[in-house]
Amino acid sequence: MGQQSEVDHDIVDAITDALTKAGLQDTPYGKKLERRLINKLIGQFEESDLFDLIEDLPLSNKGRSE
């Protein structure tokens, strides 16, 4: 991801570590979340990106509303 060169590597590493601990690393949602977070850090995050993340949030059945 070329945009990562504009973001502090420690921040990118922290994002990657958090995704790994949450079991989301290398999942479609995890990749989207990482991309959106980096876009936010470099000022290219749109409000609609937030709604996309919320809509696609992988929740367990216990956390889903009926």
Side-chain angles (χ1 to χ4, degrees), residues 3-4 6-19 34 37-42:
Q3 297 166 343
Q4 289 180 356
E6 299 177 31
V7 178
D8 186 323
H9 291 289
D10 290 336
I11 294 172
V12 175
D13 290 343
I15 292 169
T16 302
D17 288 345
L19 289 171
E34 181 177 15
L37 288 172
I38 291 171
N39 285 346
K40 175 63 175 168
L41 292 170
I42 61 174

Side-chain angles (χ1 to χ4, degrees), residues 13-45:
D13 290 343
I15 292 169
T16 302
D17 288 345
L19 289 171
T20 300
K21 288 177 185 175
L24 295 171
Q25 183 66 21
D26 296 326
T27 65
Y29 183 81
K31 290 175 186 178
K32 179 189 275 188
L33 178 61
E34 181 177 15
R35 189 170 50 251
R36 296 295 203 280
L37 288 172
I38 291 171
N39 285 346
K40 175 63 175 168
L41 292 170
I42 61 174
Q44 296 180 4
F45 190 84

